Amino acid sequence: MSQLQPARGTHDLIGEEHRRHHRVIEVARRIATLYGFEEWATPIFEDTRVFSRGLGDTSDVVAKEMYVFEDRGGESVTLRPENTAGVCRALVSNGLTQGGLPRKVFYAGPMFRYERPQKGRYRQFHQIGIEVLGAPEPLADAEVIACGWQIQQELGIEEGTILEINTLGDAPSRDAYRAALVGYFTGHAEALSADSRMRLEKNPLRILDSKDKGDRALIADAPTIFDHLTPEAAGFFETVQRHLTRFGVPFRVNPRIVRGLDYYSHTAFEFVTDRLGAQGTVMGGGRYNGLVEEMGGPATPSVGWAAGVERLALLVEAAGLTPPAPRPVAVIPVGDAAEGPALDLLQALRQSGVIAEIAYRGNTKRRMERANKIGAGAAVILGETEIAEGVAVVRNLDAGTQERVPLDDIVRALAETGVVDSAVEAMLAEMLEAEEDEDEAPTP
Protein backbone atom coordinates (compact mmCIF):
# COMPACT_ATOMS: atom_id res chain seq x y z
CA MET A 1 0.00 0.00 0.00
CA SER A 2 1.44 3.38 -1.00
CA GLN A 3 2.10 5.97 1.68
CA LEU A 4 -0.50 8.75 1.81
CA GLN A 5 0.68 12.30 1.20
CA PRO A 6 -1.00 15.70 1.68
CA ALA A 7 -3.35 16.62 -1.16
CA ARG A 8 -1.66 18.62 -3.93
CA GLY A 9 -1.35 22.26 -2.97
CA THR A 10 -1.65 21.64 0.77
CA HIS A 11 1.02 21.19 3.40
CA ASP A 12 1.48 20.41 7.06
CA LEU A 13 2.53 23.11 9.51
CA ILE A 14 5.01 21.52 11.93
CA GLY A 15 7.83 22.75 14.16
CA GLU A 16 9.55 25.95 13.04
CA GLU A 17 7.09 26.54 10.22
CA HIS A 18 4.14 26.39 12.60
CA ARG A 19 5.85 28.72 15.06
CA ARG A 20 6.37 31.30 12.31
CA HIS A 21 2.77 30.89 11.17
CA HIS A 22 1.50 31.28 14.73
CA ARG A 23 3.74 34.30 15.30
CA VAL A 24 2.29 36.14 12.28
CA ILE A 25 -1.28 35.61 13.45
CA GLU A 26 -0.52 36.38 17.10
CA VAL A 27 1.21 39.66 16.24
CA ALA A 28 -1.51 40.67 13.77
CA ARG A 29 -4.24 39.91 16.31
CA ARG A 30 -2.50 41.95 19.01
CA ILE A 31 -1.79 44.98 16.82
CA ALA A 32 -5.30 44.94 15.35
CA THR A 33 -6.66 44.99 18.89
CA LEU A 34 -4.59 48.12 19.60
CA TYR A 35 -6.38 49.76 16.67
CA GLY A 36 -9.81 48.84 18.03
CA PHE A 37 -10.57 45.86 15.77
CA GLU A 38 -12.62 42.94 17.08
CA GLU A 39 -12.14 39.44 15.72
CA TRP A 40 -14.86 37.72 13.70
CA ALA A 41 -14.85 34.12 12.52
CA THR A 42 -17.04 33.30 9.52
CA PRO A 43 -17.66 29.81 8.04
CA ILE A 44 -15.03 28.39 5.71
CA PHE A 45 -17.77 27.62 3.18
CA GLU A 46 -20.59 29.86 2.04
CA ASP A 47 -23.45 29.97 -0.39
CA THR A 48 -21.69 30.27 -3.77
CA ARG A 49 -23.55 33.52 -4.46
CA VAL A 50 -21.56 35.25 -1.70
CA PHE A 51 -18.43 35.00 -3.82
CA SER A 52 -19.95 35.23 -7.30
CA ARG A 53 -21.54 38.52 -6.23
CA GLY A 54 -18.57 39.68 -4.23
CA LEU A 55 -15.81 38.83 -6.71
CA GLY A 56 -17.66 39.15 -10.00
CA ASP A 57 -18.41 36.44 -12.53
CA THR A 58 -15.57 37.59 -14.81
CA SER A 59 -12.81 37.41 -12.20
CA ASP A 60 -10.21 34.66 -12.46
CA VAL A 61 -11.03 33.53 -8.93
CA VAL A 62 -14.68 32.90 -9.74
CA ALA A 63 -14.07 31.59 -13.25
CA LYS A 64 -11.09 29.31 -12.58
CA GLU A 65 -10.07 28.98 -8.94
CA MET A 66 -13.05 28.44 -6.64
CA TYR A 67 -13.78 25.11 -5.00
CA VAL A 68 -17.49 24.84 -5.76
CA PHE A 69 -19.58 21.77 -4.97
CA GLU A 70 -23.18 20.74 -4.45
CA ASP A 71 -24.00 19.54 -0.96
CA ARG A 72 -26.37 16.69 -0.16
CA GLY A 73 -29.29 19.09 -0.10
CA GLY A 74 -28.59 20.23 -3.65
CA GLU A 75 -27.29 23.66 -2.60
CA SER A 76 -24.23 25.15 -4.31
CA VAL A 77 -21.58 25.97 -1.71
CA THR A 78 -18.02 27.22 -2.06
CA LEU A 79 -14.93 26.97 0.10
CA ARG A 80 -14.05 30.59 0.76
CA PRO A 81 -11.33 31.92 -1.59
CA GLU A 82 -11.11 35.13 0.47
CA ASN A 83 -12.89 36.56 3.51
CA THR A 84 -13.99 40.12 2.75
CA ALA A 85 -17.20 38.93 1.08
CA GLY A 86 -17.94 36.65 4.04
CA VAL A 87 -17.42 39.48 6.52
CA CYS A 88 -19.80 41.72 4.55
CA ARG A 89 -22.34 38.89 4.39
CA ALA A 90 -22.02 38.45 8.16
CA LEU A 91 -22.63 42.15 8.72
CA VAL A 92 -25.91 41.91 6.81
CA SER A 93 -27.01 38.46 8.06
CA ASN A 94 -26.58 39.46 11.69
CA GLY A 95 -28.49 42.71 11.35
CA LEU A 96 -25.48 44.90 12.12
CA THR A 97 -25.98 47.51 9.40
CA GLN A 98 -28.64 49.52 11.23
CA GLY A 99 -26.61 50.81 14.15
CA GLY A 100 -23.20 50.83 15.69
CA LEU A 101 -21.28 51.59 12.50
CA PRO A 102 -18.47 51.69 11.77
CA ARG A 103 -17.55 48.10 12.61
CA LYS A 104 -13.84 47.31 12.76
CA VAL A 105 -13.20 43.62 12.07
CA PHE A 106 -10.08 41.44 12.22
CA TYR A 107 -10.03 37.87 10.89
CA ALA A 108 -7.58 35.01 10.46
CA GLY A 109 -8.05 31.60 8.90
CA PRO A 110 -7.74 29.22 5.94
CA MET A 111 -8.81 30.10 2.37
CA PHE A 112 -9.01 27.85 -0.69
CA ARG A 113 -8.16 28.44 -4.34
CA TYR A 114 -7.52 25.91 -7.09
CA GLU A 115 -4.36 27.37 -8.62
CA ARG A 116 -0.86 26.22 -9.49
CA PRO A 117 1.05 25.67 -6.23
CA GLN A 118 4.25 27.70 -5.89
CA LYS A 119 6.52 29.09 -3.20
CA GLY A 120 4.40 30.71 -0.50
CA ARG A 121 1.18 30.00 -2.38
CA TYR A 122 -0.97 26.93 -1.79
CA ARG A 123 -4.45 25.68 -2.62
CA GLN A 124 -5.24 25.80 1.06
CA PHE A 125 -3.59 28.92 2.38
CA HIS A 126 -4.15 31.27 5.29
CA GLN A 127 -4.93 34.95 5.49
CA ILE A 128 -5.15 37.67 8.06
CA GLY A 129 -7.18 40.76 7.29
CA ILE A 130 -8.99 43.78 8.63
CA GLU A 131 -12.10 45.60 7.45
CA VAL A 132 -13.61 48.93 8.52
CA LEU A 133 -17.29 48.70 7.60
CA GLY A 134 -19.35 51.88 7.41
CA ALA A 135 -16.70 54.62 7.34
CA PRO A 136 -16.53 56.93 4.28
CA GLU A 137 -13.72 59.12 5.62
CA PRO A 138 -10.16 58.99 4.18
CA LEU A 139 -8.83 58.61 7.72
CA ALA A 140 -10.21 55.03 7.73
CA ASP A 141 -8.13 54.23 4.63
CA ALA A 142 -4.97 55.59 6.25
CA GLU A 143 -5.66 53.83 9.55
CA VAL A 144 -6.05 50.36 8.05
CA ILE A 145 -2.81 50.88 6.11
CA ALA A 146 -1.01 52.10 9.23
CA CYS A 147 -2.22 49.02 11.11
CA GLY A 148 -0.79 46.77 8.40
CA TRP A 149 2.50 48.63 8.48
CA GLN A 150 2.76 48.32 12.26
CA ILE A 151 2.14 44.57 12.02
CA GLN A 152 5.06 44.28 9.61
CA GLN A 153 7.23 46.40 11.89
CA GLU A 154 6.36 44.24 14.89
CA LEU A 155 7.22 41.11 12.90
CA GLY A 156 10.56 42.69 11.95
CA ILE A 157 9.97 42.33 8.20
CA GLU A 158 9.32 45.93 7.18
CA GLU A 159 12.76 46.50 5.66
CA GLY A 160 12.61 45.82 1.93
CA THR A 161 8.82 46.12 1.89
CA ILE A 162 7.26 49.21 0.33
CA LEU A 163 3.71 50.52 0.27
CA GLU A 164 2.40 51.39 -3.19
CA ILE A 165 -0.88 53.32 -3.37
CA ASN A 166 -3.20 54.57 -6.07
CA THR A 167 -6.65 56.04 -6.34
CA LEU A 168 -9.53 54.59 -8.33
CA GLY A 169 -11.46 57.82 -7.90
CA ASP A 170 -15.18 58.20 -7.45
CA ALA A 171 -17.82 56.98 -9.92
CA PRO A 172 -17.52 59.94 -12.36
CA SER A 173 -13.70 59.68 -12.31
CA ARG A 174 -13.88 55.97 -12.95
CA ASP A 175 -16.34 56.32 -15.83
CA ALA A 176 -14.14 58.90 -17.53
CA TYR A 177 -11.04 56.76 -17.00
CA ARG A 178 -12.74 53.64 -18.32
CA ALA A 179 -13.67 55.51 -21.51
CA ALA A 180 -10.07 56.70 -21.91
CA LEU A 181 -8.74 53.16 -21.51
CA VAL A 182 -11.23 51.76 -24.02
CA GLY A 183 -10.16 54.39 -26.53
CA TYR A 184 -6.46 53.68 -25.99
CA PHE A 185 -6.59 49.88 -26.00
CA THR A 186 -9.05 49.72 -28.89
CA GLY A 187 -6.38 51.39 -30.99
CA HIS A 188 -3.99 48.56 -30.04
CA ALA A 189 -6.51 45.71 -29.91
CA GLU A 190 -4.63 43.47 -32.32
CA ALA A 191 -1.52 43.58 -30.12
CA LEU A 192 -3.41 42.61 -26.97
CA SER A 193 -3.48 39.07 -25.59
CA ALA A 194 -6.67 37.08 -26.05
CA ASP A 195 -7.59 37.53 -22.37
CA SER A 196 -7.11 41.28 -22.57
CA ARG A 197 -9.20 41.57 -25.73
CA MET A 198 -12.02 39.91 -23.81
CA ARG A 199 -11.46 42.25 -20.87
CA LEU A 200 -11.59 45.23 -23.22
CA GLU A 201 -15.25 44.44 -23.81
CA LYS A 202 -16.21 43.49 -20.25
CA ASN A 203 -13.87 45.25 -17.83
CA PRO A 204 -11.06 47.32 -19.39
CA LEU A 205 -9.45 48.23 -16.05
CA ARG A 206 -8.46 44.59 -15.59
CA ILE A 207 -6.15 44.85 -18.59
CA LEU A 208 -3.83 46.82 -16.28
CA ASP A 209 -3.45 43.64 -14.19
CA SER A 210 -2.23 41.58 -17.15
CA LYS A 211 1.10 39.76 -16.79
CA ASP A 212 1.43 39.15 -20.55
CA LYS A 213 4.67 40.73 -21.85
CA GLY A 214 3.02 42.23 -24.90
CA ASP A 215 0.24 43.69 -22.78
CA ARG A 216 2.76 45.11 -20.30
CA ALA A 217 4.46 47.05 -23.08
CA LEU A 218 1.15 48.65 -24.05
CA ILE A 219 0.17 49.28 -20.44
CA ALA A 220 3.34 51.31 -19.90
CA ASP A 221 1.98 54.02 -22.21
CA ALA A 222 -1.67 53.75 -21.19
CA PRO A 223 -3.40 56.80 -19.68
CA THR A 224 -3.55 57.07 -15.89
CA ILE A 225 -6.53 58.02 -13.79
CA PHE A 226 -4.97 61.25 -12.55
CA ASP A 227 -6.06 63.15 -15.66
CA HIS A 228 -9.65 62.09 -15.02
CA LEU A 229 -10.15 62.66 -11.29
CA THR A 230 -12.91 64.93 -10.05
CA PRO A 231 -11.79 67.58 -7.53
CA GLU A 232 -13.51 65.60 -4.77
CA ALA A 233 -11.66 62.39 -5.66
CA ALA A 234 -8.33 64.18 -5.93
CA GLY A 235 -8.91 65.78 -2.52
CA PHE A 236 -9.72 62.39 -0.98
CA PHE A 237 -6.47 60.89 -2.25
CA GLU A 238 -4.43 63.87 -1.06
CA THR A 239 -5.95 63.52 2.42
CA VAL A 240 -5.09 59.83 2.58
CA GLN A 241 -1.47 60.62 1.70
CA ARG A 242 -1.33 63.38 4.30
CA HIS A 243 -2.61 61.03 7.02
CA LEU A 244 -0.12 58.33 6.00
CA THR A 245 2.72 60.82 6.34
CA ARG A 246 1.51 61.77 9.81
CA PHE A 247 1.27 58.07 10.76
CA GLY A 248 4.88 57.62 9.64
CA VAL A 249 4.08 55.15 6.85
CA PRO A 250 6.45 55.49 3.83
CA PHE A 251 4.81 55.03 0.43
CA ARG A 252 5.07 55.67 -3.27
CA VAL A 253 2.28 56.29 -5.77
CA ASN A 254 1.81 53.58 -8.39
CA PRO A 255 -0.86 54.52 -10.96
CA ARG A 256 -1.02 50.92 -12.27
CA ILE A 257 -2.64 49.46 -9.13
CA VAL A 258 -6.27 48.82 -10.03
CA ARG A 259 -9.28 46.81 -8.91
CA GLY A 260 -11.55 45.44 -11.58
CA LEU A 261 -14.95 45.48 -9.87
CA ASP A 262 -17.25 48.48 -9.94
CA TYR A 263 -17.81 48.63 -6.20
CA TYR A 264 -14.14 49.51 -5.59
CA SER A 265 -13.37 53.22 -5.34
CA HIS A 266 -10.77 55.66 -4.12
CA THR A 267 -7.77 54.06 -2.38
CA ALA A 268 -6.12 50.90 -3.69
CA PHE A 269 -2.83 49.76 -2.17
CA GLU A 270 -0.29 46.96 -1.93
CA PHE A 271 2.73 46.28 0.24
CA VAL A 272 5.25 44.69 -2.11
CA THR A 273 8.67 43.11 -1.72
CA ASP A 274 11.33 41.49 -3.89
CA ARG A 275 12.80 39.48 -1.02
CA LEU A 276 10.86 36.40 -2.10
CA GLY A 277 12.22 36.40 -5.65
CA ALA A 278 10.22 38.32 -8.21
CA GLN A 279 8.41 41.31 -6.73
CA GLY A 280 5.28 40.11 -5.03
CA THR A 281 2.46 41.44 -2.92
CA VAL A 282 2.48 40.54 0.76
CA MET A 283 -0.51 42.66 1.80
CA GLY A 284 -3.10 44.37 -0.36
CA GLY A 285 -6.47 46.06 -0.16
CA GLY A 286 -8.50 49.13 -0.81
CA ARG A 287 -11.83 50.87 -0.47
CA TYR A 288 -15.00 49.09 -1.54
CA ASN A 289 -18.15 51.15 -1.21
CA GLY A 290 -20.66 48.77 -2.77
CA LEU A 291 -19.92 45.24 -1.53
CA VAL A 292 -22.33 45.28 1.41
CA GLU A 293 -25.07 46.25 -1.05
CA GLU A 294 -24.17 43.21 -3.16
CA MET A 295 -24.95 41.12 -0.05
CA GLY A 296 -28.40 42.66 0.28
CA GLY A 297 -27.54 45.39 2.77
CA PRO A 298 -27.64 49.18 2.56
CA ALA A 299 -24.89 51.33 1.07
CA THR A 300 -21.98 50.88 3.48
CA PRO A 301 -18.66 52.51 2.54
CA SER A 302 -15.82 50.22 3.68
CA VAL A 303 -12.08 49.69 3.41
CA GLY A 304 -9.70 46.87 4.34
CA TRP A 305 -6.81 44.60 3.42
CA ALA A 306 -5.81 40.95 3.43
CA ALA A 307 -2.37 39.36 3.72
CA GLY A 308 -1.13 35.83 3.10
CA VAL A 309 0.20 34.29 6.31
CA GLU A 310 2.49 31.93 4.39
CA ARG A 311 4.18 34.79 2.54
CA LEU A 312 4.57 36.85 5.72
CA ALA A 313 6.01 33.78 7.45
CA LEU A 314 8.56 33.38 4.64
CA LEU A 315 9.68 36.95 5.28
CA VAL A 316 9.98 36.17 8.99
CA GLU A 317 12.18 33.20 8.08
CA ALA A 318 14.28 35.25 5.65
CA ALA A 319 14.86 37.82 8.39
CA GLY A 320 16.13 35.11 10.74
CA LEU A 321 13.31 35.78 13.20
CA THR A 322 11.80 32.33 13.61
CA PRO A 323 10.54 32.10 17.21
CA PRO A 324 12.50 29.61 19.30
CA ALA A 325 10.80 26.47 20.53
CA PRO A 326 9.55 26.80 24.10
CA ARG A 327 11.87 25.22 26.64
CA PRO A 328 10.06 23.08 29.20
CA VAL A 329 11.11 22.11 32.68
CA ALA A 330 11.53 18.35 33.11
CA VAL A 331 10.23 16.89 36.39
CA ILE A 332 12.20 13.73 37.21
CA PRO A 333 11.12 11.38 39.99
CA VAL A 334 13.80 9.12 41.46
CA GLY A 335 12.27 5.82 42.54
CA ASP A 336 8.67 4.63 42.51
CA ALA A 337 7.81 6.34 45.79
CA ALA A 338 8.62 9.75 44.27
CA GLU A 339 6.24 9.47 41.33
CA GLY A 340 3.11 10.65 43.15
CA PRO A 341 4.76 13.76 44.71
CA ALA A 342 6.44 14.43 41.34
CA LEU A 343 3.04 14.51 39.63
CA ASP A 344 1.77 16.92 42.30
CA LEU A 345 4.78 19.15 41.64
CA LEU A 346 4.27 18.84 37.86
CA GLN A 347 0.73 20.19 38.05
CA ALA A 348 1.71 22.90 40.54
CA LEU A 349 4.34 24.15 38.10
CA ARG A 350 1.86 24.17 35.20
CA GLN A 351 -0.69 26.06 37.27
CA SER A 352 2.03 28.62 38.00
CA GLY A 353 2.59 29.14 34.29
CA VAL A 354 5.67 26.98 33.87
CA ILE A 355 5.85 24.66 30.84
CA ALA A 356 6.55 21.33 32.52
CA GLU A 357 6.87 17.74 31.28
CA ILE A 358 7.44 14.34 32.79
CA ALA A 359 8.62 11.23 30.95
CA TYR A 360 6.02 8.47 30.92
CA ARG A 361 8.55 5.75 31.71
CA GLY A 362 12.22 4.96 32.27
CA ASN A 363 14.81 5.13 35.02
CA THR A 364 16.49 8.35 36.11
CA LYS A 365 19.12 8.16 33.37
CA ARG A 366 16.52 7.63 30.62
CA ARG A 367 14.40 10.47 31.96
CA MET A 368 17.40 12.81 31.95
CA GLU A 369 18.14 11.79 28.36
CA ARG A 370 14.53 12.58 27.48
CA ALA A 371 14.87 16.01 29.15
CA ASN A 372 17.84 16.83 26.91
CA LYS A 373 16.06 15.51 23.83
CA ILE A 374 13.04 17.80 24.30
CA GLY A 375 15.30 20.81 24.86
CA ALA A 376 14.44 21.29 28.52
CA GLY A 377 16.26 24.19 30.12
CA ALA A 378 16.06 22.81 33.64
CA ALA A 379 15.25 19.62 35.49
CA VAL A 380 13.52 19.37 38.86
CA ILE A 381 14.64 16.14 40.50
CA LEU A 382 12.64 14.66 43.35
CA GLY A 383 13.66 11.57 45.33
CA GLU A 384 12.69 10.10 48.68
CA THR A 385 15.31 12.15 50.52
CA GLU A 386 14.15 15.39 48.94
CA ILE A 387 10.51 14.58 49.71
CA ALA A 388 11.36 13.96 53.36
CA GLU A 389 13.19 17.31 53.53
CA GLY A 390 10.54 19.28 51.58
CA VAL A 391 13.00 20.25 48.84
CA ALA A 392 13.83 19.42 45.22
CA VAL A 393 17.02 19.57 43.21
CA VAL A 394 16.80 22.23 40.48
CA ARG A 395 19.42 21.58 37.79
CA ASN A 396 20.21 24.17 35.14
CA LEU A 397 20.79 21.98 32.08
CA ASP A 398 22.58 24.75 30.19
CA ALA A 399 25.09 25.63 32.88
CA GLY A 400 25.30 22.19 34.49
CA THR A 401 24.77 23.68 37.95
CA GLN A 402 22.23 22.61 40.54
CA GLU A 403 20.87 23.57 43.95
CA ARG A 404 18.49 22.22 46.54
CA VAL A 405 15.41 24.44 46.73
CA PRO A 406 12.38 24.38 49.10
CA LEU A 407 9.32 23.11 47.21
CA ASP A 408 7.38 26.34 47.75
CA ASP A 409 10.24 28.32 46.20
CA ILE A 410 10.62 26.25 42.98
CA VAL A 411 9.09 28.82 40.58
CA ARG A 412 11.39 31.56 41.86
CA ALA A 413 14.44 29.32 41.49
CA LEU A 414 13.45 28.36 37.96
CA ALA A 415 12.98 32.00 36.97
CA GLU A 416 16.45 32.77 38.24
CA THR A 417 17.92 30.09 35.94
CA GLY A 418 16.62 32.09 32.95
CA VAL A 419 15.13 29.01 31.31
CA VAL A 420 11.43 29.64 31.92
CA ASP A 421 9.29 31.78 29.66
CA SER A 422 8.59 35.50 30.02
CA ALA A 423 5.13 34.92 31.50
CA VAL A 424 6.67 33.25 34.55
CA GLU A 425 9.30 35.95 34.82
CA ALA A 426 6.56 38.60 34.74
CA MET A 427 4.63 36.71 37.40
CA LEU A 428 7.77 36.53 39.55
CA ALA A 429 8.32 40.28 39.15
CA GLU A 430 4.77 40.94 40.31
CA MET A 431 5.30 38.63 43.28
CA LEU A 432 8.52 40.41 44.29
CA GLU A 433 6.86 43.81 43.88
CA ALA A 434 4.00 42.71 46.12
CA GLU A 435 6.49 41.53 48.75
CA GLU A 436 8.29 44.89 48.57
CA ASP A 437 5.00 46.72 49.03
CA GLU A 438 4.30 44.62 52.12
CA ASP A 439 7.75 45.40 53.52
CA GLU A 440 7.25 49.13 52.95
CA ALA A 441 3.76 49.23 54.45
CA PRO A 442 3.66 51.25 57.73
CA THR A 443 3.44 49.25 60.89
CA PRO A 444 0.17 49.95 62.74
Side-chain angles (χ1 to χ4, degrees):
M1 182 180 294
S2 62
Q3 187 178 32
L4 292 174
Q5 298 294 328
R8 178 172 165 76
T10 68
H11 72 302
D12 302 309
L13 293 168
I14 297 172
E16 289 187 357
E17 188 173 10
H18 187 274
R19 293 201 298 276
R20 289 190 292 269
H21 188 277
H22 177 78
R23 170 72 173 159
V24 168
I25 295 175
E26 180 270 332
V27 166
R29 180 177 284 124
R30 177 164 52 82
I31 299 302
T33 300
L34 295 179
Y35 280 72
F37 289 84
E38 64 175 354
E39 187 165 0
W40 288 10
T42 61
I44 64 170
F45 66 91
E46 299 264 9
D47 184 312
T48 297
R49 292 172 295 177
V50 169
F51 303 113
S52 60
R53 289 180 182 180
L55 298 174
D57 290 332
T58 63
S59 74
D60 285 345
V61 173
V62 172
K64 303 175 184 177
E65 298 174 2
M66 293 204 315
Y67 280 91
V68 182
F69 57 95
E70 190 175 287
D71 67 14
R72 293 185 179 184
E75 301 292 334
S76 178
V77 295
T78 296
L79 297 178
R80 63 186 183 193
E82 56 87 45
N83 211 29
T84 301
V87 167
C88 290
R89 191 273 309 149
L91 184 80
V92 176
S93 312
N94 290 280
L96 302 176
T97 60
Q98 299 305 313
L101 295 178
R103 291 273 180 167
K104 301 173 76 174
V105 179
F106 167 80
Y107 63 82
M111 312 293 159
F112 305 85
R113 294 187 186 182
Y114 189 87
E115 58 182 345
R116 184 174 63 85
Q118 52 188 293
K119 186 177 178 65
R121 193 179 296 274
Y122 301 92
R123 290 178 176 176
Q124 177 182 313
F125 59 101
H126 300 79
Q127 282 187 342
I128 52 173
I130 61 174
E131 316 290 349
V132 178
L133 306 163
E137 296 82 6
L139 177 56
D141 304 49
E143 188 178 51
V144 299
I145 293 171
C147 181
W149 178 241
Q150 189 168 341
I151 289 169
Q152 293 174 69
Q153 289 178 305
E154 186 74 9
L155 288 171
I157 61 173
E158 77 280 9
E159 187 161 343
T161 300
I162 184 68
L163 169 65
E164 297 186 340
I165 62 172
N166 190 26
T167 178
L168 305 175
D170 50 18
S173 306
R174 194 179 179 90
D175 289 343
Y177 184 44
R178 183 183 289 109
L181 286 178
V182 169
Y184 172 78
F185 284 119
T186 297
H188 301 85
E190 295 204 359
L192 288 172
S193 67
D195 282 347
S196 289
R197 284 197 297 272
M198 182 178 69
R199 290 167 179 166
L200 180 59
E201 297 179 7
K202 296 183 177 180
N203 198 334
L205 267 72
R206 293 201 58 229
I207 296 175
L208 302 179
D209 278 333
S210 174
K211 302 299 187 290
D212 180 87
K213 289 184 179 180
D215 291 347
R216 299 306 302 172
L218 294 174
I219 291 166
D221 294 325
T224 71
I225 198 170
F226 296 111
D227 293 330
H228 307 280
L229 292 176
T230 64
E232 294 78 13
F236 190 104
F237 191 47
E238 288 170 4
T239 303
V240 171
Q241 294 176 77
R242 187 167 64 249
H243 288 324
L244 287 174
T245 299
R246 181 159 306 264
F247 283 146
V249 182
F251 65 89
R252 65 189 179 206
V253 175
N254 179 353
R256 300 308 179 197
I257 297 176
V258 296
R259 299 289 183 265
L261 300 176
D262 287 340
Y263 58 71
Y264 282 103
S265 63
H266 293 296
T267 314
F269 61 90
E270 296 177 355
F271 284 94
V272 298
T273 183
D274 58 7
R275 285 181 294 162
L276 299 176
Q279 179 168 298
T281 301
V282 295
M283 182 180 288
R287 174 164 286 279
Y288 51 96
N289 286 350
L291 184 52
V292 174
E293 287 181 82
E294 293 286 342
M295 300 300 153
T300 308
S302 305
V303 61
W305 55 254
V309 175
E310 282 82 359
R311 292 182 71 79
L312 291 171
L314 284 173
L315 292 175
V316 169
E317 180 183 19
L321 296 173
T322 298
R327 303 193 68 190
V329 170
V331 176
I332 299 179
V334 180
D336 293 341
E339 186 164 302
L343 293 179
D344 294 338
L345 177 59
L346 179 75
Q347 288 303 93
L349 289 174
R350 289 168 173 168
Q351 289 166 4
S352 296
V354 177
I355 302 170
E357 286 202 40
I358 190 168
Y360 296 133
R361 61 182 178 272
N363 58 25
T364 303
K365 179 182 178 183
R366 290 288 180 85
R367 290 174 188 261
M368 286 299 299
E369 289 173 351
R370 169 69 178 168
N372 289 319
K373 186 174 182 179
I374 63 176
V380 178
I381 304 167
L382 198 61
E384 292 185 33
T385 301
E386 286 77 24
I387 294 169
E389 297 177 2
V391 300
V393 175
V394 175
R395 181 177 298 177
N396 185 324
L397 297 179
D398 290 341
T401 58
Q402 66 182 43
E403 62 177 324
R404 295 167 69 82
V405 178
L407 290 175
D408 59 4
D409 211 24
I410 293 292
V411 173
R412 184 196 303 270
L414 288 170
E416 289 173 353
T417 68
V419 299
V420 296
D421 65 18
S422 57
V424 178
E425 292 176 6
M427 182 185 66
L428 177 63
E430 291 178 6
M431 184 170 63
L432 292 174
E433 185 177 343
E435 290 176 357
E436 290 174 0
D437 291 342
E438 288 179 5
D439 292 341
E440 294 173 2
T443 304

